[in-house]
Amino acid sequence: MVSVFAAATLVVAACSTGDEAEGTADSPSCTLPKGEVTADNQCKFAGRTITVAASPGSLTDLYKQGLGQLFEQTTGGRINWVGQAPDAVLTQLIAGQGQAPTVDVDLDMYVPAVYQGEEAGVWETFDRSRVPNAQDLPPQAFAGEGRGPATWFNLTGVCYNTDRFTSAGLAAPTWDSLFDPKVRSIGFPQPTSTRWNLTMVSLAAYYGAGLDDPKPVIDKLKQLGDRLTFYSATSEADQLVQSGDAWAVIHADGRCNGLTKSGAPVKLAPMNLNIEGRTYALMLSPTSPEIAKGTKNLDMAYALVNTLLTESALTPLITTLVYTPTVPAVLEALKDDTAVGPFLQTDVSALYSPDTATFREFMTKRQTWVDAWNRAFQ
């Protein structure tokens, strides 16, 4: 099943055009543009600064290249960039409730942290009517009602070492074919990896396991025996499959695609999970920009997200990270690009996305799954 939350119909967006240095008011007075933003159609925030967090390193650099320059040039406002992991941002916002938030927007908050922040009450309810560029996004781009729009689809599949499979005379794998003993080693995320949550809830649906009972999934994984190799960091997964120490790894599409693009002997293969009579190629979990509750820059925050959902802002991210963009116009513009087009997913309906209620239920019962995992594999 997939998320049923549809993007809202376009309503006039509001933002402040004032020069308030502190950004204390959210005064509706201008309309954000749909499509590309320019100095002529953008809202203005001269003399104001918004604090924006993103995962440190290359991701923050890419945001600065596209989004940052475009936003500052067209609005006259400034961005104070904070390179910080989503977990750290969330922890600070929860600890600082009742005070001014340490950041106004986090650009790459991920599930389950999105739901943890929602439960803790640290996110503004995202008003899609204020972001014209969110109106054409598919429903799978939203982690739920009131949550921000994903900029790309974070997909999970089987990333495999082509040299290992070819030398063994094996075809490209699916999830089920990994149980063939000829596949000598399989990399799998452990609970400290954010990819573990999506993988486990998806396998629960595949094997018909209730979320109260992880045993069917754990027992199936135990059949892989000592061929299982566990990882926490995505860089570990990269190394495992690139070196061939793991013949296949349950891994992010962008990371696997990036390795392929760089010339490494790896490719992304589908999971092909049959759930309720339908086969899904890959598993999907949206990331989302989230606005901190209590920000004094709410108007700027909406303008920032609207700017992010443009071809100019997203292209540097997509062409480097090789993820599928959620914005249809960006996907259309890049699908024929020989460097990235072959890696993009054009049919998101073929991707499994646990509905919001299911994922939230899993998160409330996650410790039961972690305990069962630890008993089986530690």
Side-chain angles (χ1 to χ4, degrees):
M1 75 185 86
V2 295
S3 172
V4 296
F5 297 110
T9 302
L10 176 62
V11 179
V12 173
C15 67
S16 171
T17 58
D19 294 334
E20 303 92 351
E22 298 300 321
T24 56
D26 182 37
S27 310
S29 56
C30 83
T31 302
L32 289 172
K34 183 176 181 183
E36 287 297 303
V37 299
T38 68
D40 292 330
N41 66 17
Q42 179 74 295
C43 295
K44 304 300 181 186
F45 305 103
R48 294 175 57 183
T49 299
I50 186 169
T51 299
V52 179
S55 294
S58 60
L59 185 56
T60 297
D61 292 340
L62 289 167
Y63 276 124
K64 289 180 181 179
Q65 283 178 35
L67 170 66
Q69 293 181 19
L70 182 62
F71 183 79
E72 292 188 343
Q73 289 170 1
T74 59
T75 67
R78 305 297 296 175
I79 298 175
N80 173 35
W81 290 99
V82 177
Q84 198 166 42
D87 281 341
V89 173
L90 179 60
T91 298
Q92 288 182 0
L93 290 176
I94 291 175
Q97 283 181 293
Q99 307 170 29
T102 52
V103 302
D104 297 303
V105 181
D106 186 289
L107 289 178
D108 58 338
M109 193 58 61
Y110 53 79
V111 175
V114 168
Y115 297 144
Q116 291 170 341
E118 182 179 71
E119 185 175 333
V122 299
W123 306 135
E124 287 284 348
T125 299
F126 194 91
D127 183 354
R128 299 180 199 173
S129 72
R130 296 187 63 171
V131 182
N133 283 335
Q135 72 165 326
D136 294 331
L137 302 189
Q140 295 91 338
F142 297 91
E145 196 66 55
R147 301 280 51 86
T151 50
W152 64 80
F153 293 113
N154 195 349
L155 310 179
T156 298
V158 183
C159 186
Y160 71 104
N161 185 291
T162 53
D163 288 348
R164 296 294 194 195
F165 273 72
T166 299
S167 63
L170 295 170
T174 63
W175 169 250
D176 284 341
S177 74
L178 294 180
F179 288 84
D180 184 335
K182 291 180 183 177
V183 181
R184 298 290 183 83
S185 57
I186 300 107
F188 197 91
Q190 55 186 338
T192 48
S193 165
T194 57
R195 200 154 307 285
W196 186 84
N197 301 292
L198 174 65
T199 303
M200 297 304 276
V201 75
S202 300
L203 290 178
Y206 180 47
Y207 291 118
L211 295 182
D212 290 318
D213 181 18
K215 189 174 185 300
V217 176
I218 298 295
D219 286 351
K220 191 67 180 179
L221 290 173
K222 286 169 66 175
Q223 292 178 18
L224 295 171
D226 59 8
R227 293 188 294 136
L228 274 178
T229 298
F230 302 115
Y231 73 86
S232 289
T234 52
S235 57
E236 292 179 74
D238 290 348
Q239 179 59 32
L240 282 170
V241 69
Q242 188 171 207
S243 66
D245 289 341
W247 287 31
V249 174
I250 305 305
H251 202 11
D253 66 320
R255 298 295 291 235
C256 189
N257 292 336
L259 291 174
T260 305
K261 192 166 174 277
S262 72
V266 303
K267 284 187 178 179
L268 185 71
M271 293 287 284
N272 282 353
L273 300 180
N274 188 286
I275 298 172
E276 296 183 351
R278 186 173 182 183
T279 298
Y280 295 93
L282 302 169
M283 302 177 290
L284 181 157
S285 177
T287 57
S288 60
E290 293 294 341
I291 301 173
K293 194 173 188 64
T295 174
K296 294 180 179 179
N297 289 310
L298 187 59
D299 52 351
M300 288 184 79
Y302 280 120
L304 183 87
V305 175
N306 194 65
T307 304
L308 176 59
L309 299 175
T310 63
E311 185 177 345
S312 297
L314 279 182
T315 296
L317 286 159
I318 301 304
T319 54
T320 302
L321 300 176
V322 207
Y323 286 104
T324 297
T326 58
V327 181
V330 180
L331 178 60
E332 183 66 25
L334 293 177
K335 71 178 184 180
D336 295 324
D337 184 320
T338 56
V340 297
F343 301 106
L344 304 182
Q345 302 292 320
T346 56
D347 181 12
V348 295
S349 68
L351 313 175
Y352 178 69
S353 179
D355 65 38
T356 304
T358 298
F359 214 123
R360 284 180 172 146
E361 181 184 357
F362 174 79
M363 291 309 301
T364 65
K365 298 170 180 175
R366 184 179 187 274
Q367 192 57 49
T368 299
W369 286 73
V370 172
D371 291 343
W373 174 277
N374 290 339
R375 287 193 298 270
F377 300 116
Q378 290 187 359

